[in-house]
Amino acid sequence: AQSVDQPDAHVTLSEGASLELRCSYSYSAAPYLFWYVQYPGQSLQFLLKYITGDTVVKGTKGFEAEFRKSNSSFNLKKSPAHWSDSAKYFCALEASSSFSKLVFGQGTSLSVVP
Amino acid sequence: NSKVIQTPRYLVKGQGQKAKMRCIPEKGHPVVFWYQQNKNNEFKFLINFQNQEVLQQIDMTEKRFSAECPSNSPCSLEIQSSEAGDSALYLCASSLTRANTGQLYFGEGSKLTVL
């Protein structure tokens, strides 16, 4: 079975600092990996995806993520962080045979303080 | 701003009552998904379909949940007999293709409270 783990429920950092949100996955085959963001009162919004190819993928809003097969991780990064990045972030995995059905992690709530 | 429109945003039902939620997918998206997000931010896939055809659904969905996407009408998710454990945010999402791209467009959700 596939699973996604986001070990940090909450992350707080200062504006201008570098952010890195952790995500690890479990899947026996090649995964498709995604990051979504949920701002307060808004819907989930797509940030970026890794399908194949370059291990560093760039997305919207200045975010990027690095896929590391060696430790089954797909961490989200941005530098510098801005207060408007405060939101809940979800990592997700799509098994290659699942018709776009996503398995989500528990989410990381990010607070960027001035 | 989301282009997937879900109504109602909130609904409150008593146990045993029917609960119905609607979703208008993004224009031109033939694939529609329903997910349940509980208070612990755990997502549960419920059902997806392409146009009017069901692609996948979980066992729970087959018993008390029903969903449809009729032609030229909003998609809907209905719980025939609500239970307290059904209290959650129900998210509708749409996609341009059922191929493995995974980029879903989500609505803001319908928050169901079962008393």
Side-chain angles (χ1 to χ4, degrees), chain A residues 1-16:
Chain A
Q2 310 96 28
S3 67
V4 176
D5 182 47
Q6 295 179 246
D8 304 311
H10 301 278
V11 171
T12 300
L13 50 81
S14 298
E15 196 167 24

Side-chain angles (χ1 to χ4, degrees), chain A residues 38 41-44, chain B residues 2 4-11 21-24 33-37 43 77 88-93 105-112:
Chain A
Q38 190 173 36
Q42 297 186 27
S43 58
L44 279 166
Chain B
S2 174
V4 176
I5 308 300
Q6 289 189 248
T7 57
R9 289 294 308 278
Y10 304 92
L11 60 166
M21 293 154 270
R22 293 177 176 82
C23 170
I24 300 174
F33 302 77
W34 286 97
Y35 284 87
Q36 179 195 65
Q37 182 183 12
F43 289 81
L77 174 69
L89 182 68
Y90 289 84
L91 294 168
C92 176
Y105 295 80
F106 284 86
E108 294 181 336
S110 292
K111 186 174 182 179
L112 171 65

Side-chain angles (χ1 to χ4, degrees), chain B residues 9 18 24 28 30 34 38-39 51 69 72 74 90 101 105 114:
Chain B
R9 289 294 308 278
K18 286 185 181 180
I24 300 174
W34 286 97
N38 68 19
K39 62 180 180 180
N51 297 318
C69 270
N72 299 319
Y90 289 84
T101 62
Y105 295 80
V114 181

